[in-house]
Amino acid sequence: MSIRRSSAVPALALAAALGSVLAAGSAPASAEKGATKERCFGIAMAGKNDCAAGPGTTCAGTSKSDHQANAWKYVPAGTCTKTASKTSPTGFGQLTEFEPKPAKGG
């Protein structure tokens, strides 16, 4: 039985090594999953943006107001222009930064 154990150890080591290689090889697949998301401007709540919040801000979590036109949030691809935005001229998120529509009741 000791012969089987000693041959099983190299087999387990080989399986572990292969598993590591396969896991490392799947990293690009994870990056591809990121490609199924898109930046959506005008939908983030104040302080909840993923990045790009205009002058005077540093990045994620720095938007100053809800639905800020120059702040974006990652959303599943294809959903941005279907997501409500109170500041967008169309009433929905935009794939690029936009000029906010004028506030009502001026």
Side-chain angles (χ1 to χ4, degrees):
M1 216 180 225
S2 64
I3 294 173
R4 287 187 183 184
R5 284 187 187 175
S6 63
S7 64
V9 171
L12 288 175
L14 178 61
L18 281 172
S20 296
V21 169
L22 292 174
S26 69
S30 297
E32 289 174 17
K33 286 183 184 176
T36 62
K37 298 220 178 233
E38 62 191 3
R39 293 177 182 182
C40 189
F41 289 82
I43 64 163
M45 297 293 110
K48 302 289 184 183
N49 62 305
D50 287 326
C51 209
T57 61
T58 56
C59 201
T62 56
S63 58
K64 303 289 184 202
S65 60
D66 290 351
H67 304 280
Q68 191 169 317
N70 62 351
W72 55 263
K73 186 145 187 82
Y74 277 121
V75 296
T79 64
C80 178
T81 57
K82 299 172 188 169
T83 305
S85 172
K86 294 180 180 181
T87 60
S88 169
T90 64
F92 296 97
Q94 302 291 307
L95 297 174
T96 59
E97 186 175 327
F98 59 89
E99 287 294 322
K101 66 182 177 183
K104 291 183 179 180

